[in-house]
Amino acid sequence: MSGLGWMYGADLPLVSVTFARDLTPRQLLERMGADPATLAERTQEDFDEDFNDILYEDDAYVVTAGRYGSWAWVWEHGSWLCVEDDDLLDELSAGTAALALHVNEKPLVDFRYAENGQLVTGLHTLLGIEPRHRTGQDPHRFDSELRALGAQPDTGETGPLGMHGLFYRLTEGLGAGLDQADLHAETVLSARLRPHPDRVA
């Protein structure tokens, strides 16, 4: 199953995942401000013992990390740091590309893509995908991809994939993804993040 295929139609009340190209998972966690004292490879038993009581608390910042192709990913189990911290994605993209994908039940999708320290395109479906609601240096960067997926950026119509599927597919088109099995692998790289201003460069 491709990139994020397992997420289509899944009952996921919260998706907060950050991707960075050509970084290792550990490098991405370090850039995101992982507390070094918590950054470790853990068995699922150790992960549950360390984090189960706080796993879905939004101020606990518990994350797991892995790799898909040339992209590292970090999955936030209860927090929204990837979109709450306005500077984070730009910093993560220094010398590379980074992507934040946030989905919740409102329904809302926040899709942000940055390269070389600058936000290229930001799309936020609570406002709509029309040009006037875009942010970034090149807000129309993905218009052709959106149209190819059946969306109408000029009017805000998300097309047959719906707003979740549309942005999952846009993410996959960049080569990013996350295998469901990797979230529950026998051993997972995990940590707690330190939100700005405590994160490290």
Side-chain angles (χ1 to χ4, degrees):
M1 193 171 287
S2 65
L4 301 173
W6 63 276
M7 292 168 61
Y8 292 79
D11 182 16
L12 298 170
L14 177 67
V15 173
S16 275
V17 61
T18 303
F19 302 91
R21 191 172 59 208
D22 298 330
L23 296 182
T24 68
R26 187 173 291 269
Q27 287 171 328
L28 178 53
L29 282 170
E30 289 170 350
R31 286 195 184 193
M32 290 183 74
D35 181 348
T38 68
L39 178 54
E41 295 272 359
R42 291 176 171 85
T43 66
Q44 284 293 337
E45 182 178 352
D46 289 339
F47 181 82
D48 290 342
E49 182 176 334
D50 289 347
F51 299 130
N52 196 51
D53 290 343
I54 60 171
L55 188 60
Y56 297 109
E57 294 181 9
D58 58 8
D59 59 352
Y61 297 99
V62 176
V63 296
T64 50
R67 191 171 183 87
Y68 182 93
S70 61
W71 292 78
W73 55 262
V74 168
W75 179 278
E76 299 184 54
H77 290 269
S79 56
W80 303 16
L81 190 65
C82 67
V83 292
E84 284 182 332
D85 186 334
D86 290 335
D87 299 321
L88 179 61
L89 194 68
D90 293 351
E91 295 169 8
L92 296 179
S93 72
T96 185
L99 165 66
L101 180 65
H102 175 80
V103 179
N104 66 34
E105 289 182 309
K106 288 190 175 180
L108 173 149
V109 178
D110 199 324
F111 173 95
R112 301 181 191 180
Y113 176 76
E115 290 178 345
N116 297 314
Q118 291 191 322
L119 180 67
V120 176
T121 302
L123 295 162
H124 191 298
T125 62
L126 196 61
L127 298 174
I129 63 171
E130 301 98 318
R132 64 193 174 99
H133 296 308
R134 313 286 186 81
T135 56
Q137 299 291 318
D138 185 3
H140 297 281
R141 170 73 172 266
F142 296 105
D143 279 10
S144 61
E145 288 87 346
L146 290 169
R147 290 191 181 95
L149 294 170
Q152 298 297 325
D154 295 335
T155 65
E157 173 59 47
T158 55
L161 292 171
M163 67 175 64
H164 291 186
L166 180 65
F167 290 98
Y168 293 160
R169 189 67 59 83
L170 199 59
T171 299
E172 291 172 328
L174 291 164
L178 193 167
D179 287 328
Q180 184 178 21
D182 289 343
L183 284 175
H184 309 288
E186 183 176 338
T187 302
V188 294
L189 181 62
S190 53
R192 292 183 68 179
L193 302 179
R194 299 176 300 183
H196 187 73
D198 297 325
R199 69 173 182 270
V200 295

